[in-house]
Amino acid sequence: MSVETWDYIVVGAGSAGCALAARLSEDPAVRVLLLEAGPRDRSPWIHLPIGYGKTMWSERLNWRFHTEPQREMDGRRLYWPRGRTLGGSSSINGLIYIRGQREDYDGWAALGNPGWGWDEVLPYFVRSECNVRGASALHGDAGPLRVSDIGAAHPLVESFIDGARALGLPRNDDFNGPSQEGAGYYQLTTWRGWRWSAARAYLQPARRRHNLRVLTEAQATGLVFEGRRVVGVRWRRGERTHEARATAEVLLCAGAVQSPQLLQVSGVGDPEHLQSIGVPLRHALPGVGRNLQDHLQLRLIYECTRPITTNDQLRSWRGRAAIALQWALHRSGPLAVGINQGGAFMRALPESTRPDTQFHVATLSADMAGGKAHPFSGFTVSVCQLRPASRGWVLAASPDALQAPRIQPRYLSAPEDRRAAVAALHAARAIVATPPMRALVHHEHKPGLAAHEGDDSLLAFARREGATIFHPVGTCRMGADEAAVVDAALRVRGLQGLRVVDASVMPTLVSGNTHAAAVMIAEKAADLIRHERRRTAAAAGYRSSDFAVDAAGAAS
């Protein structure tokens, strides 16, 4: 077995892993190893925004997980795509840039996580961002992550916005502005017609540094311990096993599914679960893999009265040639903006004091996300409850890290989630029924007339058709209580030399898409790690001038 030594080992090159490895390697005195189980991000379908439809099912670029049978979802096993390449899920996602609501982060702080309130995390959102609209109190224009406007109005999206306004919802031109509530166009992580993944944003410029090594096709299989301290990682490439040692820390960035799995196969987790799969206990931490949360998407599909949808453009060779030419000449059109262009945030439940439901409006339709477009002029209005109460788990199925873990999100297991699903479907139909939208609707393809019988029928539709919108979080929860997995500095409780830095540390789901929040977590973690490194060095007698990069310098 070959063994190499580094200062920091980052496991997983997804949204958080790319940002964290890049930030840490800004200090030339620090040596960073980044391990990614998947291949390089060379596929053109990654970089073309509409390539989402291809990467969603790719065996090479996607882990293609499935859940356990869902009791409240007609016993179905739901498909869970997760990115398996440089950039992780940011290389295959729907590109939407949403941070969530102030109250989400203030809620994190109130749960015993000082430093994670909105005022504390906002600077990291700003630092990460390069928004085409320029800098402001809420936005950055010098960060690695490009954020762009859709660029052109679409009659379907405009009609949806007008329909929402007819019901009293304001037009909102910035969902990451002072207020999230309203209807409008999304901003996307794109730049001049290309996807701007975390790998493109952070890793591509950082790979020129001699102190950063990126290894692809390198599957982490377990942690290496010396007593209570984690000192390294075992990983495989093909049939060969390797070991890497970390003089400072190992940083798990494998995501809400695989970070808890790697802990469990390494002997960190619930003793009863570890015993059941034959893994010797290293450290009892029953919260590992618990607290799983995800947004459940419900998709209403409509046939349009006019041939203005992406379905129409994709149906003929002339249409496909036209959109290809539009992208080639102007880096615009359907190929440049992906699937969902517009949406809304609103209060669907009467008791809600802030938006509880998110809408996505897609100018195409298919039987499932990333599926083949319907042969008719179709569009999709989807809804998801922003803060579900249902909680599930992720548990390793065996001691083998190469075997997919068991995933049980327990969708709709909480009564309030079932009520929210029905309310969201009613709200979507109310918008579509307004005069601005009604003129574009020939008929409702799904749920269709069968779901007009009442709430029970709509709930049955949710159980039959609901699917993930790809936002799993919470399985290595941050907190101060005994069930928490990491503390507010993201250190695994009871161990040394190990942190978790990804969406799994979120105590609760943010109100919207999760990519921006995962990047923010990595940005903040980089500062936490650098500050701790400086304190340790100062205690050992080193001067601050001995370090080429400090946290303040990196922040600028």
Side-chain angles (χ1 to χ4, degrees), residues 72-147:
E72 297 288 345
M73 304 291 290
D74 288 353
R76 294 183 296 135
R77 297 178 68 239
L78 274 60
Y79 178 56
W80 266 33
R82 305 304 299 157
R84 185 180 178 273
T85 183
L86 294 180
S89 292
S90 76
S91 289
I92 69 167
N93 68 3
L95 302 153
I96 295 173
Y97 183 79
I98 291 291
R99 297 172 177 173
Q101 299 168 15
R102 167 186 285 271
E103 294 87 347
D104 299 333
Y105 302 98
D106 289 343
W108 289 8
L111 290 172
N113 300 295
W116 291 92
W118 174 250
D119 290 337
E120 291 82 15
V121 303
L122 176 60
Y124 294 101
F125 280 118
V126 173
R127 181 170 92 177
S128 69
E129 183 185 16
C130 182
N131 199 301
V132 70
R133 300 181 186 179
S136 68
L138 295 176
H139 292 289
D141 66 350
L145 190 62
R146 298 277 187 174
V147 178

Side-chain angles (χ1 to χ4, degrees), residues 9 74 121 277 327 358 423 484 509:
I9 300 172
D74 288 353
V121 303
I277 61 172
W327 183 85
Q358 181 179 5
L509 253 174

Side-chain angles (χ1 to χ4, degrees), residues 263-268 271 274-275 277-283 399:
L263 287 170
Q264 290 163 354
V265 300
S266 302
V268 181
L274 298 183
Q275 183 180 28
I277 61 172
V279 173
L281 178 67
R282 277 278 186 179
H283 179 54

Side-chain angles (χ1 to χ4, degrees), residues 406-484:
R406 298 171 59 204
I407 302 170
Q408 176 55 274
R410 300 183 69 237
Y411 292 119
L412 298 182
S413 58
E416 53 263 55
D417 293 356
R418 298 193 288 272
R419 193 165 66 90
V422 171
L425 290 169
H426 278 306
R429 280 181 158 176
I431 294 175
V432 173
T434 60
M437 282 220 77
R438 194 165 58 236
L440 293 177
V441 176
H442 182 273
H443 75 279
E444 185 180 85
H445 182 71
K446 281 186 179 182
L449 293 175
H452 281 281
E453 299 171 359
D455 290 358
D456 290 344
S457 185
L458 284 178
L459 182 58
F461 167 72
R463 297 185 196 278
R464 183 175 68 251
E465 299 285 346
T468 178
I469 202 168
F470 327 124
H471 301 158
V473 308
T475 50
C476 295
R477 177 172 66 83
M478 172 172 51
D481 59 285
E482 290 301 313

